[in-house]
Amino acid sequence: MSSSVRQTKCRILQHECDGNFRRLVFEAPEIAALARPGQFVHLLCGGTHDPLLRRPLSIYRAEADQVAVLYEIRGRGTALLAEKKPGDLVDVIGPLGTGFTLPDSPTQQIVLVGGGIGAPPLSFLASTIAKSFGCERLTTMIGAQTAEKHICADEFRGLSVDDNACLLATDDGSCGHSGLVTDILRERLKSESLISPMIYACGPTPMLKAVALIAKEYHLKCQVSLEAKMACGVGACMGCVIKVHNGGGCKYVRVCHEGPVFDAEEVVWDE
Amino acid sequence: MNRLTTDICGIQMKNPVMVASGTFGFGKEYAELIDLNLLGAIVTKGTSLVQWDGNPPERICETPAGMLNAIGLQNDGVDSLINDKIPWLQSAAADTPVIVNVVGKTLDEYAEVARRLDGVPGVAGLEINISCPNVKHGGIAFGTDPSMCAEVVRAVRKATSLPLIPKLSPNVTDITAMARICVDCGADALSLINTLLGTAIDIKTRKFRLANITGGLSGPAVKPVALRMVWQVASAVDVPVIGMGGIMNADDALEFLLAGASAVQVGTANFVNPQSAIEIAQGIDDYLVTCGVEHVDEIIGTVQS
Ligand SMILES: Cc1cc2nc3c(=O)[nH]c(=O)nc-3n(C[C@H](O)[C@H](O)[C@H](O)COP(=O)(O)OP(=O)(O)OC[C@H]3O[C@@H](n4cnc5c(N)ncnc54)[C@H](O)[C@@H]3O)c2cc1C
Ligand SMILES: Cc1cc2nc3c(=O)[nH]c(=O)nc-3n(C[C@H](O)[C@H](O)[C@H](O)COP(=O)(O)O)c2cc1C
Ligand code: FES
């Protein structure tokens, strides 16, 4: 549960363009102090009646008095956000949601599995893990459509002890493994180069589902970060639910509040 | 002197701006973002006799200047409200009256929820959601059928001595007919409008955007319709009318007051800016000062044709 949250008009410090991706850095000391990996901020992109609602973006960095997000222009909301310039203000609510739970033992192997725009929150998680536990037991596996769409690859490389600890995959084979990132995960577990790792995953739902299945097969603990359309972002509207197991039955829980990070085994995947 | 004090059928409020049911949870969700004690009143999420699961996702969809929702009234039931949520609100928002939005699938359920809430400290009144368009076996039938509407208001009236505020559905041909029925059956005030039934289709997947297919439209897109209905109902009945539908700022709220609403509710705007209701109350006060009006009562229903 989020212990604390703020709404502030934040000054934009940097807004960099990389193809269809944007890296937005804004001044938000309180949010930065509270932010944990896996949490998100809810941004007012336009401030107009249309598009009306805020847009959720994962926290990519939270350092000193600055918060950064890394986003892809998908539709009108993100396109409006992309027009903002350094010096402009952006209305931000955050940090929101329940983020990743860090491993309790520093001796456990950790693997981060990311796909596409799922990489930014994992990058924040990787740097947090590196600070508390070092990088020795950290492996990252990141998939993207093409080499250009590997948005955080350099950071993951920087946090890996060797080339074997940072593995990339692309759909078109333009860099790293040609195919799915989950192929790499399966291969590493099979060859026992990874033993009983804790898995953290963020990316498109089919990828998360595949990771969850592998985790189940190998009896591994696995946390996944899910997406949903959101209105309030704070747990009030019940609009962003997913289905989870509840005793013998099921129930709906809020991605913005109980999530966006869930235990993979908790989630009802088949649907 | 406070220019904004408002009395809706005995519910004393420091200003006429409340937060609308389903858009503010049970208050706690927004407690870290705004001062709950500055709100006119808090209307809770629809509350049923037992816990309801709600609809499968997708439950919401943004539309031009608005949104559709098909939440399906997911809530933990009235016992959890009485044991946890109301006591929490009493300590965290002692200055703000709490109105409980009541939902049911049968007459008995409505009446039983009302009975359980009767005399519960911290409950200032009941808003009866006869109009929710989302639940297949619930709301819609009561709010759009004159005899069902009469029955539910009578049943709840018998079950409670609390101020009774039926919330009208806009999905009817003549909303004034429903309003009169509610008043004849014992309503102390009326709330309107609930959401307008709509849908949206994703042309890429050729599927409906909401799992429930239809949902309730809210936000700026509905304001002209809501304002027309509030004006019609306020002209037709003698009880106070609480107006809502697309109110985003003080100007919008003032239109509703001029049309005859004694108070307003802010819904979808909370999602965009959690400060909306507080800023709107301030904006109404500023307007009164600018116009040299001593009390908000003096402008209610003063629109000229
Ligand atoms: C917790 C969370 C964290 C997120 N973090 C990031 C991030 O770090 N970087 C990033 O680029 N994106 C992230 N997203 C997705 C981002 O919120 C959407 O891309 C954005 O809301 C699209 O808005 P738009 O107006 O540009 O597009 P729209 O015009 O609203 O939609 C364009 C497309 O995006 C899809 N979409 C819209 N809203 C969402 C949503 N809330 N979640 C998923 N898909 C959506 C629509 O179905 C449509 O296909 C996150 C989403 C969630 C729920
Ligand atoms: C997500 C959502 C949930 C809602 N839930 C309820 C509810 O439980 N009971 C109810 O009477 N109205 C409910 N409503 C309707 C609102 O209270 C209000 O009548 C409507 O949204 C119009 O006001 P607005 O345009 O300011 O949002 C809900 C609206 C939204 C957007
Ligand atoms: S977005 Fe409103 S409850 Fe999650």
Side-chain angles (χ1 to χ4, degrees):
Chain A
M1 209 181 295
S2 60
S3 61
S4 235
V5 48
R6 301 279 184 277
Q7 178 184 5
T8 23
K9 289 200 171 64
C10 304
R11 187 166 307 283
I12 295 177
L13 301 170
Q14 290 169 42
H15 204 171
E16 287 157 12
C17 168
D18 176 7
N20 217 28
F21 297 101
R22 295 288 184 280
R23 186 167 158 276
L24 172 70
V25 185
F26 50 86
E27 195 172 32
E30 290 185 305
I31 298 176
L34 294 164
R36 299 285 171 270
Q39 289 190 300
F40 66 96
V41 286
H42 214 24
L43 280 98
L44 207 51
C45 295
T48 56
H49 283 181
D50 189 32
L52 182 66
L53 299 172
R54 287 171 183 265
R55 296 294 189 264
L57 294 174
S58 298
I59 296 169
Y60 163 57
R61 278 290 177 276
E63 276 158 1
D65 55 351
Q66 301 178 8
V67 173
V69 293
L70 191 55
Y71 66 96
E72 184 181 24
I73 299 179
R74 289 263 276 274
R76 288 197 302 151
T78 44
L80 276 172
L81 183 61
E83 286 174 15
K84 291 193 186 280
K85 298 193 170 47
D88 289 351
L89 296 178
V90 58
D91 186 326
V92 183
I93 300 177
L96 291 167
T98 308
F100 295 106
T101 308
L102 294 182
D104 19 62
S105 126
T107 56
Q108 190 173 22
Q109 285 195 312
I110 297 162
V111 52
L112 312 187
V113 186
I117 199 64
L122 292 180
S123 172
F124 184 19
L125 177 65
S127 67
T128 307
I129 289 174
K131 270 180 212 145
S132 341
F133 304 118
C135 320
E136 291 75 31
R137 291 163 207 285
L138 186 65
T139 305
T140 52
M141 303 173 179
I142 310 294
Q145 285 169 309
T146 62
E148 298 83 69
K149 293 202 167 177
H150 263 298
I151 41 179
C152 306
D154 290 343
E155 295 147 35
F156 289 119
R157 263 189 223 106
L159 291 173
S160 51
V161 283
D162 57 40
D163 285 353
N164 264 329
C166 178
L167 304 149
L168 303 182
T170 45
D171 294 349
D172 68 351
S174 54
C175 124
H177 168 76
S178 173
L180 301 173
V181 69
T182 44
D183 301 340
I184 309 179
L185 176 62
R186 188 173 279 288
E187 189 274 315
R188 288 282 157 141
L189 289 166
K190 215 169 149 193
S191 65
E192 297 189 349
S193 54
L194 278 174
I195 298 164
S196 300
M198 170 94 184
I199 303 177
Y200 296 93
C202 185
T205 309
M207 184 206 92
L208 296 178
K209 188 176 170 180
V211 173
L213 278 172
I214 296 172
K216 194 174 175 191
E217 194 180 312
Y218 284 86
H219 308 287
L220 303 173
K221 284 234 171 292
C222 175
Q223 295 174 34
V224 294
S225 179
L226 298 178
E227 286 194 359
K229 298 277 170 54
M230 291 185 180
C232 71
V234 301
C237 74
M238 313 304 287
C240 63
V241 299
I242 57 142
K243 202 190 247 186
V244 296
H245 297 289
N246 179 35
C250 294
K251 65 175 178 181
Y252 294 117
V253 294
R254 296 159 292 189
V255 170
C256 72
H257 192 72
E258 284 83 7
V261 176
F262 293 91
D263 277 332
E265 57 183 7
E266 205 188 341
V267 177
V268 178
W269 293 100
D270 32 20
E271 232 145 278
Chain B
M1 183 194 129
N2 188 338
R3 283 173 290 270
L4 296 180
T5 50
T6 299
D7 178 332
I8 300 285
C9 52
I11 304 172
Q12 308 288 337
M13 308 191 295
K14 62 188 100 47
N15 67 61
V17 188
M18 329 182 185
V19 285
S21 178
T23 66
F24 209 73
F26 294 89
K28 199 172 184 172
E29 294 82 355
Y30 281 105
E32 288 189 273
L33 291 170
I34 72 163
D35 183 351
L36 299 178
N37 282 309
L38 299 179
L39 299 170
I42 294 172
V43 187
T44 68
K45 174 70 189 161
T47 299
S48 48
L49 187 54
V50 293
Q51 174 264 336
W52 284 1
D53 291 343
N55 288 330
E58 303 277 313
R59 287 181 174 184
I60 54 173
C61 156
E62 196 180 42
T63 57
M67 63 178 283
L68 290 165
N69 89 82
I71 308 297
L73 295 167
Q74 178 173 354
N75 80 96
D76 293 336
V78 71
D79 288 338
S80 149
L81 179 85
I82 294 171
N83 298 330
D84 307 330
K85 289 157 184 142
I86 297 292
W88 184 88
L89 277 165
Q90 269 191 295
S91 63
D95 289 346
T96 301
V98 175
I99 296 170
V100 177
N101 185 273
V102 176
V103 299
K105 288 176 179 160
T106 64
L107 286 177
D108 288 347
E109 268 179 40
Y110 273 111
E112 186 55 29
V113 175
R115 199 169 293 122
R116 297 221 191 159
L117 290 167
D118 204 38
V120 170
V123 177
L126 302 183
E127 184 177 71
I128 310 302
N129 179 1
I130 57 171
S131 48
C132 181
N134 294 331
V135 178
K136 292 195 183 80
H137 308 286
I140 189 79
F142 295 102
T144 53
D145 178 284
S147 62
M148 293 287 281
C149 175
E151 275 184 277
V152 76
V153 178
R154 260 190 235 116
V156 175
R157 179 73 289 171
K158 260 191 244 156
T160 185
S161 54
L162 285 165
L164 183 62
I165 312 168
K167 180 167 173 181
L168 304 180
S169 167
N171 304 309
V172 294
T173 314
D174 179 6
I175 198 162
T176 60
M178 293 295 178
R180 287 198 192 91
I181 288 168
C182 289
V183 174
D184 291 346
C185 295
D188 298 307
L190 296 171
S191 274
L192 67 153
I193 61 172
N194 210 315
T195 52
L196 281 149
L197 204 53
T199 191
I201 295 170
D202 183 335
I203 59 164
K204 269 195 223 133
T205 59
R206 302 194 180 179
K207 285 181 178 161
F208 286 103
R209 286 190 185 272
L210 298 173
N212 190 58
I213 297 180
T214 60
L217 182 65
S218 65
V222 309
K223 199 193 85 179
V225 178
L227 189 61
R228 182 264 295 178
M229 288 183 162
V230 165
W231 170 69
Q232 285 180 315
V233 168
S235 314
V237 297
D238 290 328
V239 299
V241 168
I242 303 166
M244 79 199 80
I247 296 178
M248 301 300 286
N249 52 45
D251 290 6
D252 294 338
L254 284 160
E255 282 193 75
F256 279 80
L257 297 177
L258 293 169
S262 301
V264 295
Q265 288 180 18
V266 174
T268 303
N270 295 310
F271 305 154
V272 181
N273 177 14
Q275 316 290 334
S276 294
I278 293 171
E279 289 176 5
I280 288 168
Q282 184 60 52
I284 295 172
D285 197 52
D286 294 345
Y287 173 87
L288 298 179
V289 171
T290 308
C291 300
V293 178
E294 278 182 15
H295 197 274
V296 65
D297 281 351
E298 293 167 34
I299 65 163
I300 289 163
T302 57
V303 62
Q304 293 164 24
S305 39

